[in-house]
Amino acid sequence: MKATTEIQATMEEGKPAGVGGISRRAFIGSTAAAAAALAVGAGFDIAHPQDAFADESSPVEKRYTYCDMCNHVPKCGIVAHVKEEKVVRIEPRGKYPAGPICAKGVASLQELYDPNRLLTPKVRTNPKGTGKPQWKDITWEEAYATIAEKFNAAKEKYGPDSVLFFCGDPKEPRGAMQRVATLFGSTSYGTESSVCAAASWMCAQMVFGQNSMGQDPNDKTASALIWTLNPAWSQPYRFSQFMAQKERGCKFVVVDPRVTPTVTGLADIHLQLRPGSDGALLAGWMNQMIELDLVDKDFVENWTIGFDELKAYVKEYTPEKVEEITWVPAEKLVAAVKLIGENHPMTLVTSSKGGCHQTNVGNFQRGVFMLPALYGDLDVSGGLMLGPGLPFDYTASTAAFQLEPMYVEQNYAARRLDRDDFPVWAKYYKMIQTAKLPEYVAEGKIRAGLLLGINSMMWPNTPLYQKAIKDMEFTAAIDYYIRDWTHDYVDMVLPAAMCYERTAPLAVFGRKLFMRTPVVKPLGEAREDWQIILEVGTALGYGEECFHGNVEAALDELLRTADLGVTVADLKAQPEGIEIPGGVTGDRKYAEGKLRKDGQPGFNTQSGKVELSSEVLKGFGFEGIPRFEEPVQNPKSPEAKEYPLVLSTGSRVPYYTHSKLRDVPWLNQFMPDPVVRMNPKDVASRGLSNGQEVKVYNQQGEIRMFLEETNMVMPGVVDIFHGWHQADVNLLTTRDFDPITGFPPFTCGLCEVAKA
Ligand SMILES: Nc1nc2c(c(=O)[nH]1)N[C@H]1C(S)=C(S)[C@@H](COP(=O)(O)OP(=O)(O)OC[C@H]3O[C@@H](n4cnc5c(=O)[nH]c(N)nc54)[C@H](O)[C@@H]3O)O[C@H]1N2
Ligand SMILES: Nc1nc2c(c(=O)[nH]1)N[C@H]1C(S)=C(S)[C@@H](COP(=O)(O)OP(=O)(O)OC[C@H]3O[C@@H](n4cnc5c(=O)[nH]c(N)nc54)[C@H](O)[C@@H]3O)O[C@H]1N2
Ligand code: SF4
Ligand SMILES: [Mo]
């Protein structure tokens, strides 16, 4: 509270202090005070020099919205205080599951009124590859006409798949983007999920027949296994609920190479493994479950296939052998297996990261989903519950709205560019795996693109993707900012409205459905993402199917295809959300035929059983069991002689989301420079010192960063956040993609660190 008073005092004196009228000290005080999660429960005022000053006496109207600074699931609720069409204060909106707003959420106001935002459509005037782009303002009409001309020309000459329709981290526009891609006839629809959560979803589908990232512990959960997640920093809204379960008595095992606030806050046992060795630890875990007689034999016998194969495979993974591979003490592993086995039901929480970013994720991630089944805690209250959820998620995508029937009837799958490279991925998704984008462009298969929220530093070996974007004949990006590391290589950039300024498709919390309407008008000429995509679709000749750019009409169609009996008007009338009835609930639904469309008992897998050995993978010529293989780059590979440190990249920091938010001063003050974290032992053995500038390098390249000496990181490992354009760690990551999922090995490379 002190901090809020301090801010108000600053406002009352009428002297905007520090950044945007809020004192720097006040912002740090309020956010840092709320411990690791950097979450704040109080409200925040803004007084921005140029844009957001409003007359003190003007009336204030409270409008509801939700945050998208981390651009995906959380969507913490916000009450926006609007004066003279300016947002002057924000507060958390208690009724959403997320009570507090984190530092990034608070800083959303500063991003909204950032004087550097892109506010007009721009086109390049000098050819790509001839140095820095020169930009010229154009009208929206000119922009759409050019896009339509270029895309239609590419389609005519090279076929519709030559035009890529892409969404980066922004999730909200995906339903619209996929619809336009399908209308255009292109099978080249791609998203950031092909390096993010989607490896995990498809592995869950292979094991028990539906998407999952596990389930958070609830009041009935006796123990929880958190395998690779640091919600204290990556999902603060979720972390407080974990803490509440800890206080209630739920036991926690956390698997993480680092000593994170999640570990210190929750873990009864912390398994600190070498990054990339997860598959071996998992095999050891299964070995001990069998050894200690902790497997639910009834469940295994009746509802799984492949147990004998799995058992034979894990036999050699004794705790001692596993210790050698993973660096996890044998007795700790045994204690963890027992702790979970003695506290039923257990639930599993896994991540879109860690395990996903390894050369062997398609195996590891399947294996980890087998644990709740082996413990007998799959589809039971408090365990890993399954069940048909709502017909769409926060990405607002019903299959019908995305025109899945058209995709299927016209057999788009047969033309997919990625189907030879990543056939298993192509089976599960209607979005392509973009790992091989550079190859598709070099081979002339992709020639043009509508690139919404794209960031070239998302992929391993960034320069190859920058070149790919540059080599396309025509690309139009859609963003809040001009980001040099990506937009230097495109032909056109279109200004996107921010969350305060735009309608969101829909948000689902539990069984409640919410719609977000703009709380203020877009600044400048910025337009809503959905509107832009639908207007591009209209310009391409699909006016009727794209509702001539009318977002609410499109959402009404989306709701109609979801068949919930809810309209946009209903949702607008109820900013507190509408409860969606129905759905199938209850324990062990698989036994009653409630999980399968055909009503037969079992799971939605190829065999109808939980697949401990995958039938799908065998069909594609892979092994069925989740066999561990060392990462391509590992401490025993030849490169390790010169580059002995394990390179783990991308572990989240509380103040930035990927490549974003470095331009928000309130956040940038916390971590103004790129940082590499190292254990004191490795710092000392290299004669380095805390705070010093160092070079981090390997066979691929070199970056410069500032050294942070910390026990958070284990000896032999370095920890680097991604998305620093001046020190892009994806110059050091390799393109050793997992053959099942196409995912890159962001957490298991090699490097060396020396004085700069
Ligand atoms: N503040 C902030 N929040 C974010 C994001 C952000 O950029 N900033 N990004 C969002 C997105 S898109 C994602 S995908 C999520 C990711 O969410 P998390 O998965 O929680 O993110 P990370 O911190 O990358 O990884 C979690 C932990 O994995 C550990 N880890 C690293 N290598 C390995 C390994 O080889 N094995 C195991 N078992 N663990 C390993 C790291 O030490 C780290 O503590 O975060 C989301 N939330
Ligand atoms: N080395 C390494 N690399 C990684 C990872 C890692 O852990 N290590 N993590 C991977 C993961 S899990 C992910 S999810 C990706 C991150 O995925 P990216 O999508 O590449 O990352 P962002 O930095 O979020 O870039 C998004 C861009 O969209 C713009 N933008 C943001 N919101 C909106 C919006 O609502 N509309 C529009 N039109 N534009 C918007 C932003 O300004 C930004 O330019 O990175 C991946 N890359
Ligand atoms: S966790 Fe933070 S950034 Fe993400 S939605 Fe909530 S307030 Fe916004
Ligand atoms: Mo992600």
Side-chain angles (χ1 to χ4, degrees):
M1 283 321 289
K2 180 170 170 281
T4 314
T5 321
E6 225 176 299
I7 295 160
Q8 275 159 358
T10 317
M11 300 282 292
E12 276 153 24
E13 283 159 25
K15 285 187 237 143
V19 180
I22 161 178
S23 83
R24 194 179 154 111
R25 192 155 58 91
F27 183 74
I28 297 178
S30 339
T31 52
L38 283 177
V40 286
F44 264 83
D45 301 280
I46 190 167
H48 248 287
Q50 308 87 333
D51 291 307
F53 270 133
D55 185 344
E56 274 297 301
S57 61
S58 322
V60 174
E61 199 186 323
K62 286 186 186 179
R63 297 180 190 164
Y64 296 116
T65 185
Y66 34 83
C67 175
D68 77 343
M69 294 291 272
C70 56
N71 254 331
H72 51 114
V73 221
K75 296 224 156 86
C76 302
I78 287 180
V79 183
H81 294 230
V82 179
K83 247 187 190 188
E84 296 177 354
E85 290 309 306
K86 299 275 159 57
V87 184
V88 293
R89 178 182 169 83
I90 58 170
E91 288 170 356
R93 182 181 174 187
K95 283 199 180 150
Y96 285 87
I101 308 175
C102 80
K104 303 187 297 305
V106 170
S108 62
L109 263 190
Q110 206 172 34
E111 183 163 75
L112 173 66
Y113 294 116
D114 185 337
N116 294 319
R117 261 184 70 186
L118 172 70
L119 295 178
T120 47
K122 290 188 190 291
V123 71
R124 265 187 94 111
T125 54
N126 56 338
K128 287 181 290 189
T130 57
K132 274 298 201 198
Q134 283 150 22
W135 299 107
K136 178 180 92 174
D137 288 357
I138 49 167
T139 65
W140 280 101
E141 288 63 36
E142 286 166 334
Y144 292 143
T146 308
I147 293 171
E149 183 209 318
K150 300 281 187 187
F151 284 11
N152 282 327
K155 181 176 179 176
E156 188 139 311
K157 228 167 149 186
Y158 311 109
D161 302 324
S162 67
V163 181
L164 173 67
F165 292 84
F166 183 88
C167 285
D169 197 24
K171 310 287 193 290
E172 291 175 1
R174 292 185 181 181
M177 189 67 100
Q178 194 163 359
R179 184 177 174 93
V180 171
T182 304
L183 285 167
F184 187 74
S186 174
T187 67
S188 302
Y189 160 72
T191 78
E192 142 279 1
S193 295
S194 68
V195 295
C196 183
S200 183
W201 303 330
M202 67 187 269
C203 288
Q205 287 192 53
M206 281 188 255
V207 176
F208 46 69
Q210 61 185 76
N211 279 1
S212 178
M213 303 258 291
Q215 177 140 333
D216 289 3
N218 60 33
D219 289 349
K220 292 187 177 155
T221 308
S223 64
L225 170 58
I226 302 186
W227 200 305
T228 315
L229 190 81
N230 181 21
W233 286 353
S234 66
Q235 298 170 327
Y237 70 101
R238 207 172 163 195
F239 187 60
S240 52
Q241 298 177 24
F242 284 64
M243 290 295 281
Q245 295 305 339
K246 167 91 181 166
E247 271 170 37
R248 182 187 55 79
C250 181
K251 304 282 183 227
F252 282 86
V253 173
V254 182
V255 182
D256 196 307
R258 299 183 311 159
V259 187
T260 64
T262 301
V263 168
T264 52
L266 291 176
D268 293 286
I269 299 179
H270 173 207
L271 302 183
Q272 197 173 13
L273 82 176
R274 163 169 66 88
S277 68
D278 296 68
L281 188 66
L282 184 66
W285 192 294
M286 291 170 169
N287 171 302
Q288 284 305 290
M289 280 187 79
I290 294 168
E291 201 65 26
L292 300 168
D293 202 17
L294 293 170
V295 173
D296 182 332
K297 293 195 196 69
D298 276 356
F299 183 87
V300 165
E301 196 169 307
N302 294 308
W303 300 106
T304 70
I305 58 162
F307 182 70
D308 291 340
E309 246 181 285
L310 185 70
K311 187 175 168 186
Y313 153 63
V314 301
K315 197 167 184 339
E316 63 175 296
Y317 283 90
T318 60
E320 294 69 33
K321 173 176 166 142
V322 169
E323 174 169 344
E324 219 171 277
I325 303 173
T326 65
W327 310 347
V328 173
E331 62 283 2
K332 269 207 167 178
L333 169 61
V334 178
V337 176
K338 275 194 199 156
L339 183 74
I340 298 282
E342 287 161 3
N343 289 282
H344 285 279
M346 67 82 73
T347 190
L348 170 77
V349 183
T350 172
S351 159
S352 47
K353 266 272 327 201
C356 274
H357 291 157
Q358 301 179 6
T359 48
N360 193 26
V361 24
N363 282 330
F364 161 69
Q365 201 72 41
R366 278 188 310 123
V368 82
F369 283 123
M370 294 172 194
L371 293 181
L374 293 172
Y375 276 117
D377 291 333
L378 189 61
D379 206 26
V380 299
S381 310
L384 204 170
M385 188 54 109
L386 303 178
L390 291 170
F392 45 70
D393 59 13
Y394 59 94
T395 62
S397 324
T398 67
F401 184 79
Q402 291 167 338
L403 304 174
E404 195 170 304
M406 183 171 163
Y407 190 100
V408 173
E409 272 157 34
Q410 300 185 12
N411 198 12
Y412 279 36
R415 289 193 270 122
R416 290 264 299 255
L417 299 181
D418 58 341
R419 62 194 294 262
D420 293 337
D421 295 313
F422 305 107
V424 190
W425 169 277
K427 171 186 162 65
Y428 283 98
Y429 295 116
K430 300 206 162 44
M431 57 186 164
I432 59 165
Q433 172 48 273
T434 58
K436 296 258 173 107
L437 182 64
E439 285 78 2
Y440 302 150
V441 173
E443 291 158 12
K445 292 176 181 162
I446 288 185
R447 304 272 182 164
L450 184 63
L451 312 175
L452 188 148
I454 190 173
N455 157 33
S456 64
M457 293 189 289
M458 172 181 105
W459 291 281
N461 205 337
T462 307
L464 286 180
Y465 295 83
Q466 290 170 327
K467 180 174 182 323
I469 296 168
K470 177 179 97 8
D471 288 348
M472 289 190 225
E473 288 166 23
F474 175 81
T475 48
I478 308 170
D479 210 299
Y480 300 153
Y481 291 91
I482 292 197
R483 313 269 197 198
D484 297 354
W485 53 91
T486 305
H487 300 139
D488 273 6
Y489 308 95
V490 304
D491 297 275
M492 184 183 280
V493 195
L494 305 174
M498 276 190 63
C499 70
Y500 292 97
E501 305 167 323
R502 70 177 186 225
T503 306
L506 298 160
V508 177
F509 296 126
R511 303 211 64 83
K512 258 192 166 185
L513 186 62
F514 296 79
M515 186 175 148
R516 185 180 69 211
T517 48
V519 300
V520 287
K521 287 201 185 73
L523 290 179
E525 291 180 44
R527 288 191 183 173
E528 304 182 29
D529 283 329
W530 268 63
Q531 183 188 352
I532 299 170
I533 297 165
L534 294 170
E535 285 175 347
V536 167
T538 302
L540 288 169
Y542 310 99
E544 209 167 305
E545 298 89 338
C546 292
F547 315 92
H548 300 282
N550 183 325
V551 178
E552 290 194 1
L555 291 180
D556 254 334
E557 170 66 5
L558 178 94
L559 285 164
R560 194 189 63 73
T561 59
D563 203 19
L564 297 173
V566 176
T567 63
V568 165
D570 297 334
L571 286 166
K572 280 173 92 171
Q574 296 206 43
E576 293 302 315
I578 294 180
E579 186 99 9
I580 304 299
V584 183
T585 51
D587 281 20
R588 300 194 169 83
K589 294 176 287 298
Y590 56 85
E592 296 162 39
K594 288 179 175 173
L595 292 181
R596 292 173 59 95
K597 278 205 186 106
D598 62 10
Q600 291 301 309
F603 297 84
N604 266 315
T605 52
Q606 195 156 303
S607 61
K609 299 278 176 78
V610 171
E611 299 198 354
L612 306 175
S613 176
S614 169
E615 296 289 295
V616 170
L617 286 186
K618 284 180 182 170
F620 283 105
F622 292 98
E623 229 186 326
I625 51 164
R627 185 180 296 284
F628 169 68
E629 279 163 31
E630 275 289 352
V632 173
Q633 310 274 317
N634 68 71
K636 292 199 171 130
S637 55
E639 295 85 357
K641 284 209 173 66
E642 251 179 284
Y643 314 110
L645 294 165
V646 176
L647 173 66
S648 175
T649 77
S651 46
R652 280 27 177 175
V653 297
Y655 354 94
Y656 296 132
T657 309
H658 312 300
S659 70
K660 295 176 299 216
L661 312 183
R662 311 298 196 285
D663 28 32
V664 180
W666 282 350
L667 296 174
N668 188 263
Q669 64 190 321
F670 292 116
M671 194 184 245
D673 299 306
V675 164
V676 46
R677 295 194 179 112
M678 283 173 82
N679 187 276
K681 279 190 189 154
D682 296 317
V683 174
S685 65
R686 285 165 179 76
L688 302 172
S689 57
N690 192 32
Q692 165 181 30
E693 191 176 9
V694 291
K695 57 180 181 181
V696 185
Y697 60 100
N698 65 12
Q699 70 281 8
Q700 296 228 143
E702 175 185 313
I703 54 177
R704 304 258 165 144
M705 315 196 95
F706 292 88
L707 196 154
E708 186 184 316
E709 185 177 19
T710 168
N711 283 314
M712 181 182 202
V713 181
M714 65 201 301
V717 177
V718 305
D719 173 47
I720 295 176
F721 186 58
H722 62 300
W724 289 100
H725 66 92
Q726 67 275 54
D728 172 15
V729 78
N730 282 335
L731 296 177
L732 308 185
T733 54
T734 61
R735 296 182 79 226
D736 298 310
F737 300 112
D738 167 46
I740 297 173
T741 62
F743 269 53
F746 289 144
T747 68
C748 47
L750 292 170
C751 69
E752 180 53 290
V753 180
K755 202 162 159 283

